[in-house]
Amino acid sequence: MSKSPENVKASMPDPAVAEDEDDAWDKRIRKTGCFAENEQLLVCHADTNDWRQCARELAAFKKCMELNKQNGL
């Protein structure tokens, strides 16, 4: 049975819903309690495209992870 364009479109996830849902990585980071620090690090990298310029954000994320390691990934 071939899929018509209507059937294919109907089976695709709604992008508005998918954006609101956390993926597996986000769920694991939220569990650690370091989601905000991770977001700041990712934004820094996206803005600079250079991890070396994000040393302050990386240090904050690392410190948070060390303090919250009992929450684990």
Side-chain angles (χ1 to χ4, degrees), residues 13-56:
D14 181 2
V17 173
E19 286 182 16
D20 291 342
E21 295 177 10
D22 283 345
D23 62 13
W25 174 256
D26 286 341
K27 287 178 184 177
R28 288 192 301 264
I29 291 296
R30 284 188 193 280
K31 185 178 175 184
T32 67
C34 300
F35 187 79
E37 291 82 353
N38 182 65
E39 285 293 303
Q40 291 170 353
L41 178 58
L42 294 175
V43 167
C44 177
H45 182 255
D47 289 347
T48 65
N49 203 26
D50 184 355
W51 286 112
R52 296 170 294 181
Q53 294 183 33
C54 302
R56 185 179 66 231

Side-chain angles (χ1 to χ4, degrees), residues 3-14:
K3 291 187 176 184
S4 69
E6 294 82 19
N7 290 341
V8 171
K9 186 176 180 181
S11 67
M12 295 176 64
D14 181 2

